[in-house]
C-alpha cells in the first residue's frame, strides 16, 4: 500500500505480508492414476506421476510423497528448481502378469505444516502381457490304444495345451511329428481356444509296428512364437491276422542211432507275429509216412520239441518223414506247417559237421565272376587235431572256396558258367578233420543254372536236299526240318518260317507250307516233273527269347520223276491206227534193215530208257529185233516157203516201275520188183525226156525253197556276227526246267538243247532218216518228216540263229521230200 502524509507531503510504501497458516491439504488433480507397464520392463524403470497441489506456501506446501507398501514399486521424490516436489514411481522388481495382472497403489502427498496435512490418489498399474510363457500340456505323455484293424479316419481327442499368456500369445495351432499313419486336426472352441484331435490316416499293422511314438507340439501366436510338446504313444492292439510260421519250411535232421530215449531231436520254433492268445501255439502231426514214425518220436504239443520215443536202428529204418502243424489259440485260429526229415546216422565217433548257411540256387548262367553263391560253416565236436577241419570241393569245378572268417567259407564263382555244357552242378562240400585216422563229412548241394538266350538255333545240316516224287498229294509231308536250340523254355521254343521268295509271280508260301511249331514241311500242290524239276528257298528258325535269335537253312527241293508217261511210237509213221504196212524185196539179203521202231518217252532218263521186244512174230527165225535201237533186220534170206505176208507186233517198254509200253503192228509184204527202185530213189538220179508242166511246178518250188534257204542263212550270219549281251544265268525255279537228256536212239542225234519247247532227233529207217519233233508240254502231236540219207544235220546252240537255221533246213528238206514224193506219185 502507499501512505501519503500532507504536511509535508510525503509518500510511504507500506508492504503488508500475510503469514500463511497450514489450512490446506495437498490435492491431486486426478483421484485415479492409470499406468500400463509391460511385464518385460526391467527393474529400476521409473514412471512419472501427477504432482499434488497445495495452496499453502512455504513449509506448508507439499513436502514429500509416500506410496503404499509394495514389493514391486517405490517412490522417489524429486525437487525442482523452484523447490516444488514431484514423485516418480520406481519399478523395484520385475512384474509377472501371470502372477498378478493389476497392482493397486495409494499415492500420498504430505505437506510440511504443523500439523501436517496430506492428500491421496489411487495408482492402478495394469501389467501388459508379453509372450514369456510356452504352451504346456497337462500331461507329458498321452497313451492311446487302438486296434490294428481300426478303420481309417478314426478320431482320438487330446487334452488342450494351456498357455498362461493372453491374446495372440496364447495357443494358436498344433503340429504332429512326421507319421504316415496319423495326422492332427485342430479344432477351435467357442471361446477361441484351440484343441487337437488325432486322426488315423493309414491302416495299421501291429506286426510291422506295434507302438507309434509321436510328438505333439502346441505353438502360440507370439513373436517370437513359443511351443510346448507332449509325447503321444499309440499302442496298436493285436488281431489274429498272422498265421504261425516255422523258421524253416523243411528241416533235415540227422540223429545218431545210439541216441537214448528222451533225447531231443529238434526243437521246432514256430513264431506268430500276433500276441497274447493269438500267438499261443499248439503243435501236432498233420502227416507222417508210417506208423513207425509215431512209435519212434514224440511231439510235445506245447513246446514243439520232438524227442526220441523208441529205439533207433539205422539198419532197420533210416529216414523218417513227417509234417508238423502249429495252430494258434486265437479267434478264428490260423496255422502253419513244416516238413521234417529225420535221418538216422550210423553210430561212429564225432564227425566233422558242415552247415550250409546260405545257398543261392538256381543262378543265371551269365552270373558275374567272384559272386558268392553259398556260405558254409564247418565244425567238429572233437578237440585238438581231431577238431581241426579242412573244407574242400571237387577239383575241376568253376568254383572256389574263400575263407571269410573262422570256420566260415564262401563259395564263389571262379570261371564263366555255361548251362548248355553243364546244366547243373552237384557241389559236394567235404570236411575232413586232422585226426588219425581222419574222419570226414560232406554235404552236396545242387546248383541249377538258369538259361539266358545266348544260343542261336542250329539246324543239323546247312543244306537240305529233299527229293519229292512227282504227282504227290497236296498236303503231303516232305520232311521235318527240326532245328536245335540248347537254351531252355521260351529261349528254346522255335518258330519256323519260309523266307518269302517270289518266282515267276508265285511265292514260296503258295507252293510249300511249314508247321511253325515243329518244322514239318508240306507241299501245297501236286508237282509235275515234266514242268517243274527243282526249287531253292530258305527256312528260318527263330526262338522266342528276348531278344529273339534266328538262323536259316537252304532247302533244295528236287522233283523226282515217276513213270507216269507211256512211250509214244513215232516211227514207223502210222497215219491211222497202230498198223503199218511195209513192202520189202523178197531178195533182201541176210542182216538187211527191214524197219526201225522209234519210241519216245518224256519221263526222266531212267524212266525213258526204251527197250523193244517182239510181242508177236510170224516167223521168229526170220527176223531179229535189237532191243535197244529198235532195228528189225533179217536173220536169213527169204525162201519160197516163207509166206508173202509177215506180221510183226513190236512192244516198246520203258524202264519205269511199273513199266509202261506202247505197241505197233508192222505188216510186211514181200515183192519181187519195183520195190528196190523205190527204196533207192534218193540215190538214183531221175532223167526226164519231156519237160512237163509238173516239172515246171517242181522247178518253181525248188527255186522258192532255195531262195528262202539263202535268206535264212544270211540272217543267221548277221546274228552270229552280232556281239551277244552277257546275261546272268537264271536261278533254278519252278518254271525253269533244264533238260539233261543226252541219250540217243540208234543213229539219232540231239539237234536242239531247248527240250522245253521241242527236241529234234534223226532216226534212221530203211527209207532214210526221220526228223522227230517232240513238243512240250505233253499231249501235243508229233510231226514226222522224211529226209534223204545223204542229208546231214549238225548240233546247234540255244541261240535264235541256231533255231532258225535248223528250222530252215528242216523245212527245206521237208519241202524237197514232199515235192519228190509228189513227183514220183505222179510218175
Amino acid at each position: 500500500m502507499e501512505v501519503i502524509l500532507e504536511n509535508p507531503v510525503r509518500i510511504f510504501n507500506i508492504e503488508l505480508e500475510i503469514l500463511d497458516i497450514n489450512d490446506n491439504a495437498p490435492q491431486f488433480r486426478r483421484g485415479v492414476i492409470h499406468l500400463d507397464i509391460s511385464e518385460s520392463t526391467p527393474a529400476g524403470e521409473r514412471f512419472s506421476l501427477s504432482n499434488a497441489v497445495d495452496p499453502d506456501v512455504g513449509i506448508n506446501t507439499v513436502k514429500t510423497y509416500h506410496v503404499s507398501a509394495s514389493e514391486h514399486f517405490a517412490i522417489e521424490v524429486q525437487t525442482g528448481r523452484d523447490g516444488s516436489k514431484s514423485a516418480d514411481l520406481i519399478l523395484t522388481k520385475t512384474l509377472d502378469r501371470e502372477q498378478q495382472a493389476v497392482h493397486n497403489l495409494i499415492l500420498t502427498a504430505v505437506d510440511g505444516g504443523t500439523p501436517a496435512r496430506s492428500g491421496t490418489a489411487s495408482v492402478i498399474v495394469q501389467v501388459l502381457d508379453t509372450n514369456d510363457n510356452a504352451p504346456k500340456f497337462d500331461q507329458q505323455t498321452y497313451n492311446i490304444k487302438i486296434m490294428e484293424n481300426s478303420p481309417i479316419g478314426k478320431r482320438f481327442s487330446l487334452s488342450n495345451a494351456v498357455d498362461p499368456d493372453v491374446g495372440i500369445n496364447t495357443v494358436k495351432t498344433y503340429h504332429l511329428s512326421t507319421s504316415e499313419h496319423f495326422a492332427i486336426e485342430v479344432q477351435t472352441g467357442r471361446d477361441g481356444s484351440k484343441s487337437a484331435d488325432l486322426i488315423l490316416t493309414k491302416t495299421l499293422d501291429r506286426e510291422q509296428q506295434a507302438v507309434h511314438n509321436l510328438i505333439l507340439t502346441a505353438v502360440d501366436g507370439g513373436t517370437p512364437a513359443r511351443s510346448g510338446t507332449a509325447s503321444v504313444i499309440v499302442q496298436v492292439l493285436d488281431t489274429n491276422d498272422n498265421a504261425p510260421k516255422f523258421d524253416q519250411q523243411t528241416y533235415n535232421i540227422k540223429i545218431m542211432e545210439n541216441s537214448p530215449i528222451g533225447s531231443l531231436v529238434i526243437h521246432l520254433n514256430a513264431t506268430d507275429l500276433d500276441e497274447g492268445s493269438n500267438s499261443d501255439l499248439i503243435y501236432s502231426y498233420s502227416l507222417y509216412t508210417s506208423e513207425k514214425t509215431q512209435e519212434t518220436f514224440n511231439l510235445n504239443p506245447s513246446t514243439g520239441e520232438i524227442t526220441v520215443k523208441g529205439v533207433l536202428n539205422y539198419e532197420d529204418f533210416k529216414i523218417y518223414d513227417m509234417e508238423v502243424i502249429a495252430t494258434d489259440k486265437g479267434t478264428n485260429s490260423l496255422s502253419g506247417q513244416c516238413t521234417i526229415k529225420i535221418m538216422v546216422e550210423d553210430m561212429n565217433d564225432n564227425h566233422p559237421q558242415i552247415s550250409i548257411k546260405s545257398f543261392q540256387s538256381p543262378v543265371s548262367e551269365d552270373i558275374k565272376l567272384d559272386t558268392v553263391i553259398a556260405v558254409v560253416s564247418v565244425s567238429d565236436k572233437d578237440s585238438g587235431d581231431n577238431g581241426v577241419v579242412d573244407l574242400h570241393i571237387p577239383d575241376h569245378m568253376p568254383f572256389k572256396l574263400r575263407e571269410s572268417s573262422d570256420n566260415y567259407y564262401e563259395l564263389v564263382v571262379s570261371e564263366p558258367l555255361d548251362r548248355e555244357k553243364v546244366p547243373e552242378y552237384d557241389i559236394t562240400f567235404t570236411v575232413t578233420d586232422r585226426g588219425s585216422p581222419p574222419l570226414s563229412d560232406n554235404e552236396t548241394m545242387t546248383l541249377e543254372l538258369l538259361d539266358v538266350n545266348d544260343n542261336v538255333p542250329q539246324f543239323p545240316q546247312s543244306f537240305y536236299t529233299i527229293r519229292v516224287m512227282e504227282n504227290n498229294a497236296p498236303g503231303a509231308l516232305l520232311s521235318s526240318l527240326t532245328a536245335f536250340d540248347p537254351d531252355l523254355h521260351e529261349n528254346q521254343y522255335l518258330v519256323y518260317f519260309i523266307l518269302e521268295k517270289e518266282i515267276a509271280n508265285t511265292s514260296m508260301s503258295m507252293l510249300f507250307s511249314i508247321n511253325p511249331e515243329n518244322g514239318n514241311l508240306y507241299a501245297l500242290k501236286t508237282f509235275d516233273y515234266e514242268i517243274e524239276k527243282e526249287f531253292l528257298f530258305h527256312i528260318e528258325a527263330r526262338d522266342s527269347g528276348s531278344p529273339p535269335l534266328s538262323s536259316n537253312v537252304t532247302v533244295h527241293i528236287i522233283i523226282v520223276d515217276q513213270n507216269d508217261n507211256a512211250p509214244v511210237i513215232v516211227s514207223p509213221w502210222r497215219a491211222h491206227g497202230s498198223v503199218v504196212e511195209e513192202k520189202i524185196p523178197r531178195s533182201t539179203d541176210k542182216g538187211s534193215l527191214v524197219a526201225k521202231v522209234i519210241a519216245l518217252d518224256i519221263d526222266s532218263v531212267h524212266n525213258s530208257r526204251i527197250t523193244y521186244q517182239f510181242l508177236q512174230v510170224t516167223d521168229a527165225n526170220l527176223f531179229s529185233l535189237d532191243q535197244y535201237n529198235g532195228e528189225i533186220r533179217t536173220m536169213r534170206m527169204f525162201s519160197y516157203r516163207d509166206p508173202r505176208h509177215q506180221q510183226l507186233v513190236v512192244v516198246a517198254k520203258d524202264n519205269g516201275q511199273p513199266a509202261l509200253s506202247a505197241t505197233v503192228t508192222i505188216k510186211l509184204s514181200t515183192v519181187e520188183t519195183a520195190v528196190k527202185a523205190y527204196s533207192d530213189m534218193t540215190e538214183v538220179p531221175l532223167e526226164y525226156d519231156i519237160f512237163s508242166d509238173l516239172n515246171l511246178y517242181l522247178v518253181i518250188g525248188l527255186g522258192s525253197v532255195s531262195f528262202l534257204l539263202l535268206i535264212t542263212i544270211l540272217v543267221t550270219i548277221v546274228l552270229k556276227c552280232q556281239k551277244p549281251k552277257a546275261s546272268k544265268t537264271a536261278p533254278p525255279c519252278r518254271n525253269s526246267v533244264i533238260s539233261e537228256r543226252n541219250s540217243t536212239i540208234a543213229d539219232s542225234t540231239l539237234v536242239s538243247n531247248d527240250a522245253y519247247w521241242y527236241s529234234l532227233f534223226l532216226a534212221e529207217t530203211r527209207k532214210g532218216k526221220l526228223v522227230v519233233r517232240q513238243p512240250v508240254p505233253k499231249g501235243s502231236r508229233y510231226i514226222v518228216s522224211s529226209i534223204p540219207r545223204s542229208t546231214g544235220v549238225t548240233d546247234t546252240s540255244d541261240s535264235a540263229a541256231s533255231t532258225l537255221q535248223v528250222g530252215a533246213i528242216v523245212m527245206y528238206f521237208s519241202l524237197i521230200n514232199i515235192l519228190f514224193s509228189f513227183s514220183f506219185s505222179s510218175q
Side-chain angles (χ1 to χ4, degrees), residues 320-610:
Y320 297 85
D321 291 316
M322 65 188 76
E323 290 185 3
V324 175
I325 186 171
T327 306
D328 62 33
K329 297 181 181 179
T331 305
N332 300 323
S333 61
L334 302 174
S335 62
Q337 67 179 19
C338 69
T339 301
I340 301 173
K341 178 180 287 187
I342 301 177
M343 294 170 283
V344 180
E345 290 187 336
D346 194 23
M347 189 179 73
N348 202 346
D349 204 356
N350 294 300
H351 283 261
Q353 299 293 318
I354 299 176
S355 177
I356 308 297
K357 298 301 181 183
S358 67
F359 190 83
Q360 183 182 354
S361 179
V363 298
S364 178
E365 64 176 316
D366 60 351
I367 188 171
K368 294 182 179 179
L369 297 180
D370 210 38
T371 301
V372 178
I373 59 174
V375 177
V376 182
S377 68
V378 295
S379 62
D380 194 321
K381 294 181 180 180
D382 297 327
S383 60
D385 289 339
N386 295 329
V388 178
V389 296
D390 298 308
L391 180 68
H392 61 274
I393 59 175
D395 297 333
H396 310 298
M397 275 195 166
F399 311 101
K400 65 179 180 181
L401 286 170
R402 181 173 63 197
E403 188 171 3
S404 60
S405 60
D406 187 21
N407 290 334
Y408 275 85
Y409 294 85
E410 293 178 341
L411 183 67
V412 298
V413 180
S414 60
E415 299 176 15
L417 304 180
D418 189 348
R419 189 205 63 79
E420 287 69 38
K421 293 181 179 179
V422 182
E424 66 180 23
Y425 292 91
D426 290 330
I427 305 173
T428 301
F429 298 93
T430 302
V431 59
T432 305
D433 61 27
R434 298 182 183 180
S436 179
L439 299 178
S440 63
D441 192 13
N442 60 69
E443 183 81 17
T444 299
M445 305 298 290
T446 300
L447 176 66
E448 297 180 7
L449 300 184
L450 296 177
D451 183 56
V452 296
N453 194 23
D454 56 349
N455 289 278
V456 176
Q458 298 175 359
F459 286 91
Q461 302 172 219
S462 61
F463 188 93
Y464 283 89
T465 299
I466 302 173
R467 298 182 181 274
V468 180
M469 191 68 67
E470 70 171 338
N471 302 317
N472 59 293
L477 176 65
L478 303 183
S479 180
S480 182
L481 307 178
T482 303
F484 172 73
D485 193 324
D487 294 324
L488 287 179
H489 308 306
E490 66 273 7
N491 297 330
Q492 186 187 40
Y493 179 75
L494 302 182
V495 181
Y496 299 87
F497 305 92
I498 295 179
L499 296 182
E500 197 59 48
K501 178 181 179 183
E502 188 172 294
I503 300 177
N505 297 326
T506 301
S507 64
M508 285 294 110
S509 60
M510 296 177 63
L511 302 177
F512 302 96
S513 172
I514 190 167
N515 189 318
E517 295 182 359
N518 56 24
N520 288 344
L521 185 64
Y522 300 91
L524 298 181
K525 61 166 287 187
T526 300
F527 298 109
D528 189 346
Y529 173 82
E530 286 69 37
I531 298 177
E532 302 158 312
K533 289 183 171 54
E534 61 182 7
F535 302 91
L536 193 67
F537 55 91
H538 298 283
I539 288 179
E540 178 181 294
R542 182 186 305 161
D543 62 30
S544 302
S546 180
L549 302 177
S550 63
S551 64
N552 58 61
V553 67
T554 302
V555 178
H556 185 200
I557 304 292
I558 298 177
I559 308 302
V560 179
D561 181 58
Q562 275 187 334
N563 192 30
D564 57 345
N565 291 281
V568 176
I569 296 176
V570 298
S571 177
W573 175 250
R574 297 161 295 169
H576 301 286
S578 60
V579 179
V580 178
E581 294 183 357
E582 294 282 353
K583 294 180 179 181
I584 60 173
R586 195 170 183 83
S587 60
T588 300
D589 295 333
K590 175 184 177 181
S592 297
L593 179 65
V594 175
K596 183 168 185 175
V597 179
I598 301 176
L600 297 179
D601 193 330
I602 63 175
D603 288 325
S604 66
V605 174
H606 178 76
N607 292 326
S608 65
R609 292 175 182 172
I610 307 296

Side-chain angles (χ1 to χ4, degrees), residues 737-756:
V737 185
I738 306 301
S739 175
E740 296 181 357
R741 185 185 305 170
N742 294 321
S743 62
T744 61
I745 302 176
D747 298 339
S748 61
T749 303
L750 182 62
V751 175
S752 175
N753 291 329
D754 192 0
Y756 183 77

